[in-house]
């Protein structure tokens, strides 16, 4: 018999002492309920936003008066706030509300999905809903764009687009061309292609990029000819954050020919300008050309869920992921193709064509631009430019000095750069406060108000918006500034 060292006896825990056996439960934190959230006051909302979400952002919300609004309901073209005030939505969630708020057909499709206890997550199996959505997107997309990756956000779709194109281009051509004033997302990969020092925030980004001016075909040609390692070019078809900036039809046609000549893959970022917003389902369709890869998001979720898609040509996709060995390199993530989100998108696409929202965007969007040009003629010292397509419209104001009497302009012009965005902010704040109209702004050219109303917008909504804007501009710059300053002194 072997000698064993003396060891302290270890007593097995009694089952009667365990939490389960003794009927104990996990301590419950102080959680708010759904009912608590619905009943929350503005003061409570503000405190929780400041304590747990983004205290710095609250500063800008206060400047614009957004912190005084608690949205209770939303329907069609309007929000309704805590006071029963209806707010006309010309912001449109940066293009995410093509169908307006709570479209009845989309609500019905989602409710039926829930009532029938259909599967939401079934990662081990193929999804009939993801398959149907992919088929619909392939049917809508022109040319050979027929391989679909489903995700949840524009950034995720663009990450997928960059990765599929980079793999298809091959390791000998790793460089990617992007444009000045571009915005492709804030996740780490596409942040390298987003031309913003603010968003880049001193993060360590990839170095395989080449920047060119947006819409400059000569600069792109020179880059392609000078660097044989360039394999991909990524461009927003309409720059949203850049101030609603378009390139002419000829640019896209020359770009397609140039990419074909040099074997460069073209990614068209349609996250914001796609889904019918430009008066075409894809904005690049206006030029009659087809990219190698594109991306959608925002309104693909029909205003009720987060949904995004990358669509590539079969040739590009198969080069990247076409074998069993490579198929799982960038397969869909956990929530890519989730059931109810796919059903929402499927119904949204059907609504878009059944109600001809694309045609409405083209026709009523042209009416909006015409009405804005009338105001430009009426207030030339205030409005510098009106541009855009469909319901993706930019209203650019003059630099602040140009809105003032001639004697004051030289002195104030020295401050124009620091004052950029002030006039658009003043006008946007007064539209909301005094006329119940919500508009958006742009990241790079801060003098631009961004107008992206839902595609259900009618001429009567345009007239309502134009009347409100006219009333604000008629006050004149001095009163606009005075009224804004006065609003900041009130609680």
């Amino acid at each position: 018999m072997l000698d064993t060292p003396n060891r302290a006896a270890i007593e097995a825990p009694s089952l009667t002492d365990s939490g389960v056996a003794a009927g104990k439960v996990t301590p419950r934190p102080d959680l708010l309920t759904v009912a608590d959230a619905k009943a929350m006051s503005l003061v409570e909302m503000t405190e929780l936003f400041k304590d747990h979400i983004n205290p710095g952002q609250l500063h800008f919300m206060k400047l614009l008066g957004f912190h005084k609004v608690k949205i209770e309901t939303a329907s069609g073209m309007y929000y309704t706030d805590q006071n029963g005030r209806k707010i006309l939505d010309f912001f449109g969630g940066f293009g995410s509300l093509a169908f307006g708020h709570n479209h009845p057909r989309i609500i019905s499709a989602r409710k039926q999905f829930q009532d029938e206890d259909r599967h939401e997550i079934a990662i081990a199996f193929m999804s009939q809903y993801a398959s149907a959505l992919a088929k619909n997107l392939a049917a809508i997309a022109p040319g050979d764009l027929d391989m679909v990756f489903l995700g949840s956000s524009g950034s995720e779709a663009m990450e997928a687009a960059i990765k599929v194109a980079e793999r298809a281009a091959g390791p000998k051509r790793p460089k990617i061309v992007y444009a000045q004033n571009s915005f492709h997302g804030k996740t780490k990969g596409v942040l390298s292609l987003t031309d913003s020092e603010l968003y880049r925030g001193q993060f360590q980004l990839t170095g395989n990029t080449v920047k060119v001016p947006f819409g400059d075909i000569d600069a792109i040609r020179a880059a392609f000819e000078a660097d044989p390692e360039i394999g991909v070019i990524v461009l927003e078809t309409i720059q949203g954050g850049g101030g609603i900036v378009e390139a002419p039809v000829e640019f896209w046609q020359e770009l397609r020919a140039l990419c074909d000549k040099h074997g460069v893959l073209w990614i068209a970022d349609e996250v914001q300008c796609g889904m019918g917003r430009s008066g075409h389902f894809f904005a690049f369709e206006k030029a009659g050309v087809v990219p190698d890869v594109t991306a959608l998001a925002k309104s693909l979720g029909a205003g009720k869920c987060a949904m995004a898609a990358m669509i590539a040509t079969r040739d590009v996709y198969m080069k990247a992921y076409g074998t069993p060995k490579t198929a799982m390199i960038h397969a869909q993530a956990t929530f890519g193709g989730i059931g109810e989100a796919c059903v929402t998108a499927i119904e949204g696409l059907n609504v878009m064509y059944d109600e001809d929202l694309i045609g409405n965007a083209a026709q009523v969007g042209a009416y909006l631009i015409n009405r804005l040009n009338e105001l430009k003629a009426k207030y030339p010292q205030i409005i510098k430019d009106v541009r855009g397509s469909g319901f993706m419209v930019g209203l650019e104001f003059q630099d602040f000095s140009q809105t003032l009497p001639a004697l004051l302009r030289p002195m104030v012009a020295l401050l124009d750069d620091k004052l950029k965005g002030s006039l658009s902010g003043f006008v946007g704040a007064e539209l909301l406060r005094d006329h119940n109209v919500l508009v958006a702004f742009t990241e790079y050219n801060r003098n631009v108000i961004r107008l992206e109303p839902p595609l259900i917008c009618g001429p009567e909504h345009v007239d309502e918006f134009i009347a409100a804007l006219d009333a604000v501009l008629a006050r004149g710059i001095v009163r606009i500034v005075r009224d804004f300053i006065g609003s900041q002194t009130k609680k």
Side-chain angles (χ1 to χ4, degrees), residues 357-368:
L357 298 185
I358 300 172
N360 189 67
Q363 294 165 23
V364 183
Y367 178 65
L368 170 62

Side-chain angles (χ1 to χ4, degrees), residues 182-201:
S182 60
F183 182 88
H184 298 291
K186 297 179 185 177
T187 51
K188 198 78 180 294
V190 290
L191 193 58
S192 299
L193 307 168
T194 291
D195 186 32
S196 168
E197 292 302 317
L198 173 66
Y199 296 143
R200 290 186 172 202

Side-chain angles (χ1 to χ4, degrees), residues 149-161:
F149 170 91
L150 297 175
S152 301
S153 71
S155 291
E156 186 182 2
M158 284 303 299
E159 293 281 2

